[in-house]
């Protein structure tokens, strides 16, 4: 009887073997996810570095806006977007992608842009309110799942990058 108990203790149980394999599979799965995330972030950083090199050589504000929008849309697979910039609440349309340019100058500031400026963080918006955000609703009709990124320099808000 004592020898039987000792023999059972020396052999791993089915539960122990299954637990070991589950831990091994879980570790492999998380490792794979982490590796994909590291590769994605590496591509993002490389794209941002390339954009920085391009922007160093550009002096025109409209060209800067075009490069910014083009790189962000291509890197993160956005279909449509605009860059608005200006001073004293007069935002001009500086760059656009995936839309028809509908007006030369966008006057005033939409509520969602003002909220992004106040919070100093990008905002995710399901859709634009035609009353509160009439300009963005007109520029990006029927837009869904939009990100509004405030553009800030020297502590002052001067524009927004808006992508769908």
């Amino acid at each position: 009887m004592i020898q039987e108990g000792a023999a059972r203790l020396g052999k791993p149980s089915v539960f122990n073997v299954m637990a070991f394999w589950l831990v091994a599979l879980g570790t492999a799965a998380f490792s794979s996810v982490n590796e994909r995330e590291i590769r994605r972030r590496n591509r993002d950083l490389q794209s941002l570095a390339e954009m920085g090199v391009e922007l160093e050589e550009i002096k025109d504000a409209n060209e800067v806006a075009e490069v910014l929008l083009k790189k962000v849309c291509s890197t993160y697979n956005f279909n449509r977007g605009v860059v608005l910039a200006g001073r004293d609440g007069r935002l001009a349309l500086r760059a656009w992608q995936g839309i028809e340019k509908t007006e030369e100058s966008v006057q005033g500031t939409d509520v969602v842009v003002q909220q992004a400026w106040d919070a100093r963080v990008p905002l995710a918006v399901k859709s634009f309110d035609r009353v509160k955000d009439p300009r963005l609703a007109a520029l990006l009709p029927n837009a869904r799942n939009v990100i509004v990124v405030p553009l800030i320099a020297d502590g002052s808000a001067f524009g927004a990058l808006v992508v769908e």
Side-chain angles (χ1 to χ4, degrees), residues 88-143:
D88 303 323
R90 296 177 54 106
L91 297 180
L93 182 60
R94 301 289 182 177
W96 59 94
Q97 180 170 319
I99 66 167
E100 295 290 323
K101 185 179 176 190
T102 57
E103 54 186 286
E104 182 60 33
S105 179
V106 177
Q107 303 297 316
T109 305
D110 289 358
V111 171
V112 70
V113 172
Q114 187 64 51
Q115 289 172 339
W117 285 352
D118 293 344
R120 298 279 203 256
V121 296
L123 297 179
V125 180
K126 284 188 176 189
S127 62
F128 294 120
D129 182 323
R130 290 188 178 276
V131 174
K132 293 180 181 178
D133 308 310
R135 290 160 197 91
L136 289 175
L139 288 169
L140 298 165
N142 303 315

Side-chain angles (χ1 to χ4, degrees), residues 47-48 50-55 58 61-83 94-98 161-163:
S47 180
L48 289 172
E50 290 170 3
M51 183 175 63
V53 169
E54 280 186 59
L55 291 176
I58 299 172
N62 289 334
E63 281 185 67
V64 169
E66 289 172 14
V67 168
L68 171 66
L69 184 61
K70 180 181 80 173
K71 283 291 190 181
V72 167
C73 287
S74 67
T75 300
Y76 299 104
N77 297 321
F78 291 112
N79 296 322
R80 299 191 296 170
V82 296
V83 175
R94 301 289 182 177
W96 59 94
Q97 180 170 319
L161 166 69
V162 183
V163 289

